[in-house]
Amino acid sequence: MKNDVELIVEKVVPGGRGFGRLPDGRPAMISGAFPGERVRLRLVRDRKSYVEAEAELLEGERRVTPGCPVAATCGGCDWIPLELEAQREHKLELLREALRRTGGFDEPPGLRIVTAGEPWGYRTRIRLQLRGGKVGFHAAGSHDLVEIEECLVSAPEVGAALSRLRRALGRGTPLGDEFASVEIRCAPGSSRATYFFARARGRALSARGRALLAELGREDVVVVEGEPGTEAELERFELGECYLLAAPGTFTQVNWAVNRALVREIVEGARRRGARSFADLYCGSGNFSLPLLAAGLTGKGVEASAPSIAALRRAATEQGIEAASFEVGRVTEVARRWARAGERFELVIVDPPRAGAKDALEAIERLTAGTLVMVSCDPVTFARDLRALTGRGLVLEEVLAFDMFPQTHHVECVAWLRRAQAA
Ligand SMILES: C[S@@+](CC[C@H](N)C(=O)[O-])C[C@H]1O[C@@H](n2cnc3c(N)ncnc32)[C@H](O)[C@@H]1O
């Protein structure tokens, strides 16, 4: 392909890049290009059956000038140059296309996007790369470091914690390369941050590293991956009628306003369908389970992370909620065991990591007496798993997208399914 090819971008594809066709008919995957735009291509890689390219924008009506000083290089917010309404339209299209191509659903029922809170300052946790005294995000498409002074999508509490980290790194001798990354997390409204450091492989902690941890630890919670935690390190996240506790380094949703809308959707959806019992698969620290239990349902859950289950039990005990039936385990094994024992639930919640729940779906379907709700941050594995479930006798009732990650192509997907009535 020559470098000066011009084309009109047709759509966005999973991963967030634009898609267009070269004059020879081959597909082009184009970074930084959006549907309807006329762009000139710069070849990045020729992969024979398709090309990867970067875009020089020639015409595009829905662009905005990002206020972020590192927008052009940072790999964090790939859709930041696009107006918010356009981002949301394209996310819905991404999901619609995945449902059609991978799921085989031509007309997903009820498909719409749910928004809440602000499109800036929403992230309650960020994972930053550390290179000695420098801290930042990976550059787009590479592992180069883009140094970050502030991050416009991070919550103000997280921004303040980043500034404290930068000040501590800037004092004294430069830090070595003992840490690979650090996750900063703050519950909304809390002035206390948690810094979760991941050690670089094979590197010992230096005196300078220890001094850094001690300095941050005066105000905040500091944990190094692999070292035992304490209950004093749990962060409290409010969920309306109840709260959850989260241990450092464990999963929590990033956008709390949207998460609260998501939790409301699950609790009200359960109520509308008359569910009294539930199974929460991949339950984390109880983001869905605690509100459902607080609403009077009975349930059990499974999660691979032991600190998450310990935090869930602690949060339940503190709030007088009965949560004895939550176990540490892998969903594939535990769901099969429950299914073999003949357990059935009026509501089954499935919220797997990005790879989806493929190997567990047969057991999951057997556990479902009435309703299943699938939550996922990957439209393609989501659509694949929905297809498998509908092939096993469940019917797709409603699909929703939640705009959990504004300024990026990522989208949280939710589907309600019910058991088909026997004829
Ligand atoms: C997307 S998170 C959802 C957590 C929770 N539902 C929430 O909203 O906070 C996925 C969770 O699955 C857990 N996990 C990953 N693989 C698992 C497996 N094979 N079995 C059980 N849990 C797993 C992760 O530790 C993580 O807590």
Side-chain angles (χ1 to χ4, degrees), residues 5-341:
V5 171
E6 291 181 17
L7 52 77
I8 306 281
V9 180
E10 292 175 22
K11 59 184 179 180
V12 280
V13 289
R17 289 186 290 182
F19 173 98
R21 284 211 182 265
L22 300 175
D24 65 10
R26 284 189 301 159
M29 304 297 167
I30 316 157
S31 308
F34 303 102
E37 293 182 346
R38 195 162 68 81
V39 294
R40 182 176 294 132
L41 302 190
R42 191 185 70 74
L43 181 66
V44 174
R45 227 167 268 118
D46 194 328
R47 297 206 182 259
K48 299 269 187 289
S49 60
Y50 71 99
V51 300
E52 294 179 326
E54 284 172 351
E56 179 195 336
L57 179 66
L58 301 174
E59 263 178 67
E61 289 173 1
R62 308 190 75 182
R63 294 280 182 134
V64 289
T65 307
C68 172
V70 292
T73 47
C74 179
C77 293
D78 56 346
W79 283 13
I80 202 171
L82 201 57
E83 65 182 36
L84 190 62
E85 276 317 303
Q87 291 179 21
R88 289 174 172 164
E89 286 169 25
H90 298 333
K91 281 177 204 195
L92 266 181
E93 271 319 300
L94 265 183
L95 177 53
R96 197 187 303 278
E97 178 91 344
L99 288 166
R100 191 178 62 75
R101 285 174 72 100
T102 308
F105 305 104
D106 285 336
E107 289 181 22
L111 183 60
R112 65 192 164 86
I113 192 156
V114 179
T115 65
E118 297 296 324
W120 302 102
Y122 65 81
R123 280 199 80 103
T124 54
R125 65 179 166 94
I126 53 175
R127 175 165 297 221
L128 296 149
Q129 305 303 308
L130 277 165
R131 303 275 161 82
K134 295 190 171 147
V135 61
F137 292 116
H138 280 144
S142 88
H143 283 157
D144 293 348
L145 187 82
V146 177
E147 249 192 295
I148 302 291
E149 285 179 32
E150 60 168 342
C151 169
L152 301 186
V153 292
S154 293
E157 300 89 339
V158 172
L162 170 60
S163 300
R164 292 201 289 283
L165 173 64
R166 284 175 54 84
R167 277 200 300 279
L169 282 168
R171 276 196 276 275
T173 52
L175 185 70
D177 55 3
E178 57 231 75
F179 298 123
S181 66
V182 57
E183 182 173 271
I184 301 177
R185 188 171 66 188
C186 295
S190 164
S191 59
R192 199 177 75 149
T194 297
Y195 298 92
F196 184 75
F197 285 89
R199 200 94 64 86
R201 193 183 291 247
R203 297 285 193 281
L205 209 56
S206 67
R208 175 69 185 100
R210 265 180 233 291
L212 175 79
L213 301 181
E215 181 174 349
L216 290 170
R218 282 207 296 267
E219 277 182 67
D220 297 313
V221 174
V222 177
V223 180
V224 177
E225 190 171 24
E227 295 187 359
T230 68
E231 286 196 342
E233 292 159 356
L234 297 177
E235 278 175 282
R236 175 173 160 155
F237 288 78
E238 299 297 329
L239 283 168
E241 303 299 306
C242 62
Y243 58 84
L244 67 77
L245 297 172
T250 59
F251 180 87
T252 47
Q253 301 285 353
V254 296
N255 181 331
W256 214 249
V258 176
N259 181 53
R260 285 173 70 151
L262 175 61
V263 170
R264 245 191 332 272
E265 169 67 26
I266 304 293
V267 175
E268 283 171 13
R271 196 175 284 144
R272 271 199 305 279
R273 291 165 176 86
R276 287 155 303 168
S277 64
F278 72 87
D280 188 357
L281 310 178
Y282 310 90
C283 66
S285 303
N287 187 41
F288 304 133
S289 282
L290 289 165
L292 286 168
L293 293 167
L297 282 80
T298 55
K300 59 202 293 188
V302 55
E303 158 63 45
S305 155
S308 296
I309 289 291
L312 189 162
R313 290 195 186 126
R314 164 84 186 256
T317 306
E318 281 182 11
Q319 296 169 90
I321 294 170
E322 168 58 42
S325 312
F326 286 77
E327 61 182 278
V328 180
R330 308 202 73 77
V331 165
T332 314
E333 286 142 33
V334 175
R336 279 188 193 142
R337 169 157 48 82
W338 290 352
R340 269 199 310 274

Side-chain angles (χ1 to χ4, degrees), residues 279 281 300 327 331-345 348 360-368 419:
L281 310 178
K300 59 202 293 188
E327 61 182 278
V331 165
T332 314
E333 286 142 33
V334 175
R336 279 188 193 142
R337 169 157 48 82
W338 290 352
R340 269 199 310 274
E343 301 217 43
R344 296 285 180 275
F345 303 89
V348 174
L361 292 176
E362 184 191 346
I364 288 172
E365 180 272 319
R366 284 163 58 204
L367 294 176
T368 308
R419 184 157 291 293

